[in-house]
Amino acid sequence: MADNARAKRLADLIREVVAQKLQRGIKDPRLGSHVTITDTRVTGDLREATVFYTVYGDDEERKDAAAGLESAKGVLRSEVGRAAGVKFTPTLTFVMDALPDTARTIENLLDKARQSDEKVREASAGATYAGDADPYRKPEDDETDDTAE
């Protein structure tokens, strides 16, 4: 089992090699310039690598990019093996990164919260407290209550 630092270095190398090969070496029109490699993770035994990517475009372009990456998997793995110089080149698995969709969902939720806060702020602009200004009992109030009985 390799140490975490070695797995991290290999993951960084895989990310760089795959990104450069996609940019310069792969002539598949499905991949184009709208595929971005966002992260790479390697298992502890250095046998499998997961490459996360995003695609700028609609669902059709995402499907085309996934098919293009699957067809170029062998070429990319060979290039990684050449650059890494390890005994066993890890198998590559490409996974669509959910980070942009998650970020968009969080932004939408934050916008809804801001709008709700603004509505509450507008409703409370001229409001006053329902009771006295100071609703808490004080010791001097207790003495006046005892004498009244």
Side-chain angles (χ1 to χ4, degrees), residues 3-136:
D3 60 346
N4 287 338
R6 186 172 179 201
K8 175 73 172 132
R9 283 193 312 269
L10 183 60
D12 291 342
L13 178 71
I14 291 171
R15 185 179 69 240
E16 290 174 15
V17 169
V18 169
Q20 288 176 356
K21 191 69 175 172
L22 286 176
Q23 186 178 23
R24 296 187 192 124
I26 304 289
K27 302 295 183 204
D28 193 340
R30 297 176 291 185
L31 298 175
S33 62
H34 54 274
V35 176
T36 303
I37 304 300
T38 57
D39 192 19
T40 306
R41 295 187 186 147
V42 178
T43 59
D45 61 357
L46 306 179
R47 296 281 182 162
E48 298 176 13
T50 305
V51 180
F52 295 93
Y53 68 96
T54 59
V55 178
Y56 182 73
D58 58 359
D59 288 335
E60 187 65 31
E61 289 176 340
R62 289 184 182 126
K63 289 178 186 174
D64 290 345
L69 287 170
E70 284 299 316
S71 69
K73 188 185 287 190
V75 173
L76 294 171
R77 184 174 180 217
S78 297
E79 193 67 28
V80 166
R82 191 173 301 120
V86 292
K87 183 176 181 179
F88 181 81
T89 304
T91 59
L92 301 178
T93 305
F94 292 97
V95 176
M96 176 70 90
D97 197 356
L99 185 66
D101 294 332
T102 304
R104 191 175 311 112
T105 302
I106 290 172
E107 284 297 322
N108 290 340
L109 291 172
L110 288 173
D111 287 340
K112 286 180 185 177
R114 285 185 201 106
Q115 291 171 358
S116 176
D117 287 348
E118 187 60 33
K119 287 179 185 176
V120 169
R121 197 173 299 118
E122 289 172 2
S124 66
T128 59
Y129 292 105
D132 295 332
D134 187 11
Y136 299 104

